[in-house]
Structures are given as C-alpha cells and as structure tokens.
Amino acid sequence: VRVLDSETGSLINTVNGIIYAVDNGADVINISLGAVLINCSSLEYAVNYAEENGVTVVVCAGNTKSDMKNFCPAHNKNAIAVSSVNEELIFSEDFSNFGDGIDLTAPGENIVGYNAMGELIAMSGTSMSAAYVSAAAAMFILDNPGCSTGQTASALISNAQDLGEEGKDIY
C-alpha cells in the first residue's frame, strides 16, 4: 500500500494505508516516513491497531541526527525502530536518529534502488535501513507462519550482531 506520492504525503493517507494493509492481510508493514511530533494519536492508533492484529510494523528512526523519542511513529513501542550504519557497520552519525527506543540497525548508506521517478540511484537514510529489517521480518514470518509480532521482533533482535558497546545501546 503506497501512502506517499513522488514528493509528499499526508497523515490521514498514512493512517488509512496502515489500516487498509492490516484489514487486507498484510504480515509486515514498513513505515519509511515520519515527522517530528511528540504526540500523533492517529498514527499511534494505526500502528497499535496493526500490532493488535498480528501485523509486524517496522519504522525508520528518522534522519535528523537527534533522539528518536520525538519522531513519530519511530517512538511507538509497538513498532520495530531501525537506525542506520554504513558499509563498515559504523553508526551513520551524519543523519541517523538514535535513542533508547532503537531496536535494530541496518545498512542505510549508499543503498542502490529506484526513486519515486523510477530512476536507479544510490540513497542514504533510515528508510533504507527499515527496508532491510522489513524484509528480514517477512522472511521470518514465511518460515514461522502464525508467529506473533513479539516473536518476530524477538527473533530479529536476538539474532542481530551486537555492534558498538556490548549490549543494547542508543545506536
């Protein structure tokens, strides 16, 4: 379900898109967008609705070099929040958000893909990182039909390589 056009989107389209995806059989929803909003009740509702209905939600942490606690929907506890690392598995400090709510990190620099205009280009951002984690979640669900969102998140997190300081950290 695409909720953005080539340049912009709206909150209501995003909320409606999430609910539509849940109601039409999605197993994983990737939300590679966000805004600096502390309280975004409609988007919070949609993410929570997805989780309550067994749909894994993966969100980008954001690209403002700041704490993701103010970035919606990344701060939602029912979503898997993803930050970015570069090719050397070093945190992407030039753009990636960070914070206690980060669940995973994935490659997010110089990722080759198609932009909204259909052109093949190299892009950087936590949106690219979230796509990797969404794909891994989908593969896990394919191998484990009927698993819960918690089981999916737990499997991804417990099988991730620990980078930086040992144990969970803000990156």
Side-chain angles (χ1 to χ4, degrees):
V1 175
R2 186 181 182 134
V3 299
L4 302 177
D5 64 23
S6 63
E7 296 179 23
T8 62
S10 70
L11 180 61
I12 193 66
N13 283 351
T14 303
V15 169
N16 288 338
I18 293 167
I19 293 169
Y20 178 87
V22 171
D23 290 346
N24 286 277
D27 291 317
V28 177
I29 295 175
N30 175 68
I31 304 177
S32 285
L33 54 82
V36 180
L37 298 169
I38 295 173
N39 183 6
C40 182
S41 59
S42 58
L43 191 51
E44 293 282 336
Y45 169 82
V47 171
N48 294 338
Y49 178 77
E51 195 277 334
E52 290 164 6
N53 285 279
V55 179
T56 297
V57 178
V58 179
V59 298
C60 64
N63 303 318
T64 61
K65 300 188 291 187
S66 61
D67 194 321
M68 50 80 70
K69 71 180 178 186
N70 297 324
F71 200 76
C72 187
H75 69 259
N76 187 302
K77 290 176 179 32
N78 286 325
I80 299 170
V82 186
S83 64
S84 172
V85 292
N86 64 20
E87 294 87 357
E88 287 82 37
L89 303 179
I90 297 170
F91 179 73
S92 301
E93 64 183 27
D94 290 341
F95 62 86
S96 184
N97 286 359
F98 53 86
D100 290 333
I102 296 295
D103 296 299
L104 291 166
T105 191
E109 292 189 34
N110 301 312
I111 307 300
V112 176
Y114 290 96
N115 67 10
M117 306 309 292
E119 303 162 321
L120 191 61
I121 62 170
M123 299 174 276
S124 296
T126 59
S127 292
M128 281 96 253
S129 306
Y132 276 103
V133 174
S134 297
M139 295 301 295
F140 178 78
I141 292 167
L142 282 172
D143 284 343
N144 300 278
C147 64
S148 70
T149 58
Q151 289 169 320
T152 301
S154 179
L156 294 173
I157 293 166
S158 65
N159 286 291
Q161 179 183 355
D162 190 2
L163 301 174
E165 296 179 28
E166 189 173 328
K168 183 167 172 42
D169 56 61
I170 64 171
Y171 302 106

